[in-house]
Amino acid sequence: IKRVPLAAYRVQSRGGKGRIGMGTRSEDVVEHLLIGSTHAYIMTFTSKGRVYWTKAYTIPDAGTTGKGKNINGLVNLTPDETPKAFLMTKDFPEGIYVVMITRNGVIKKSALSEFDNPRNVGIIALSVDDGDELISAQLSTGEQEIFIATKEGMAIRFNEDGVRPMGRAARGVRGISLSAEDHVVSTEIVDAEDLVLSISELGYGKRTPVGSYRLQSRGGKGVINMKTTKKTGSVVAVLRVKETTDLMIITKDGKIIRIESDNIRQAGRSTQGVRLVRMEEGDA
């Protein structure tokens, strides 16, 4: 983990090679990118459903090629858990919720104010089933829509009020029904006028209006989001974007390319999209 001034990355055009964003050890990959103030709390949610707090200014400031510091030096993780999701917040107001989802499609919503007592040892945010793990945590207003996307290219969109707020130790409810080989890769809190950007393992992507996905009830199978083929690889992420959003794509080998999202053409639900990044052999 490390922090870098945002200005270190200049905007490039679509399809370029990008620049190195972080030096990594041979077996490591970059997984998360947060943008916020040094005075905010970073809430680290782990695979086992626990949450830990860190002030952003305590994270070492390293250049674009620096490796940073192991998160275990900042957060007291137990040996069997790994960090999976990160939220930045300066305070813990009423009326804001944390929406969490697991790899197997279980969703849970808790008031952010339930997390307003930062403790070094961490607390349980979600009870996770055996064989499952927490993969996403996001903030919502309680009146938005939830969009869940899977590795095999399925997605479901439903009203957030279909998930009632629960206490910290609760397990949650079914968000999406998955086929045997599939699992959840992304969850976004969306509004009806948003666009969602889907990106695949081999650098293909597209933007699709949220309205193209019909509203369903929580727990269904969803609809096709992106046609996955050998050329595109599996879906790796789906993000909520606006016309003005800057997109940063991080590859397994640590390259970062920054693109303005309006350079990526809008495409229908079940298309495969266009090439966003030219991948080197073996990168993803």
Side-chain angles (χ1 to χ4, degrees):
I1 185 168
K2 67 170 187 174
R3 60 190 168 95
V4 183
L6 188 59
Y9 302 102
R10 62 185 172 79
V11 176
Q12 292 167 271
S13 58
R14 176 171 76 73
K17 280 197 166 177
R19 67 168 295 178
I20 292 291
M22 185 172 194
T24 57
R25 292 164 183 82
S26 58
E27 71 285 3
D28 202 7
V29 298
V30 179
E31 285 207 11
H32 295 277
L33 183 73
L34 295 176
I35 297 177
S37 155
T38 49
H39 293 285
Y41 283 104
I42 293 183
M43 297 169 68
T44 302
F45 291 79
T46 74
S47 52
K48 296 291 184 186
R50 294 180 69 79
V51 60
Y52 300 85
W53 294 261
T54 318
K55 277 285 194 178
Y57 60 71
T58 64
I59 292 164
D61 190 347
T64 56
T65 55
K67 287 192 171 72
K69 180 176 178 179
N70 193 293
I71 197 166
N72 287 320
L74 300 165
V75 174
N76 299 316
L77 300 177
T78 61
D80 62 344
E81 62 184 349
T82 52
K84 285 289 177 179
F86 300 87
L87 291 177
M88 284 187 99
T89 183
K90 276 193 166 177
D91 43 29
F92 302 88
E94 295 290 337
I96 300 292
Y97 297 89
V98 180
V99 176
M100 294 163 274
I101 192 155
T102 72
R103 181 184 166 92
N104 292 347
V106 174
I107 188 168
K108 180 184 167 189
K109 182 167 85 176
S110 297
L112 179 61
S113 54
E114 295 238 0
F115 301 92
D116 66 356
N117 184 21
R119 291 164 54 192
N120 288 345
V121 292
I123 58 170
I124 290 173
L126 165 81
S127 294
V128 178
D129 298 342
D130 286 346
D132 198 3
E133 60 179 17
L134 179 71
I135 62 158
S136 169
Q138 303 225 356
L139 298 177
S140 79
T141 62
E143 297 170 355
Q144 293 173 279
E145 294 171 359
I146 292 167
F147 188 92
I148 301 172
T150 78
K151 173 179 86 95
E152 300 289 336
M154 300 298 288
I156 190 169
R157 169 192 170 212
F158 56 87
N159 277 320
E160 190 187 330
D161 58 16
V163 185
R164 63 178 176 79
M166 298 181 185
R168 281 207 325 264
R171 169 189 177 271
V173 293
R174 167 74 41 210
I176 186 170
S177 295
L178 299 166
S179 66
E181 302 299 310
D182 208 0
H183 63 82
V184 175
V185 292
S186 291
T187 307
E188 284 287 329
I189 308 298
V190 296
D191 297 310
E193 66 279 4
D194 283 335
L195 296 160
V196 288
L197 184 138
S198 304
I199 185 162
S200 75
E201 202 170 22
L202 300 180
Y204 284 78
K206 67 186 178 89
R207 294 183 306 155
T208 309
V210 164
S212 302
Y213 304 82
R214 62 187 166 83
L215 267 175
Q216 293 176 271
S217 301
R218 171 183 67 71
K221 284 186 174 171
V223 294
I224 293 174
N225 166 43
M226 188 174 188
K227 224 176 214 48
T228 56
T229 62
K230 269 192 174 157
K231 186 171 87 170
T232 63
S234 303
V235 177
V236 288
V238 175
L239 303 168
R240 165 193 181 173
V241 294
K242 304 278 187 199
E243 288 292 351
T244 54
T245 304
D246 269 10
L247 172 72
M248 286 173 114
I249 300 170
I250 310 173
T251 75
K252 192 174 74 173
D253 290 347
K255 272 194 177 160
I256 293 186
I257 183 165
R258 179 174 163 186
I259 313 172
E260 290 165 341
S261 92
D262 61 4
N263 282 339
I264 303 165
R265 76 156 187 247
Q266 288 192 33
R269 237 184 347 95
S270 55
T271 56
Q272 66 177 24
V274 296
R275 189 196 293 277
L276 301 186
V277 189
R278 204 162 287 285
M279 310 301 292
E280 305 283 343
E281 191 68 38
D283 200 4

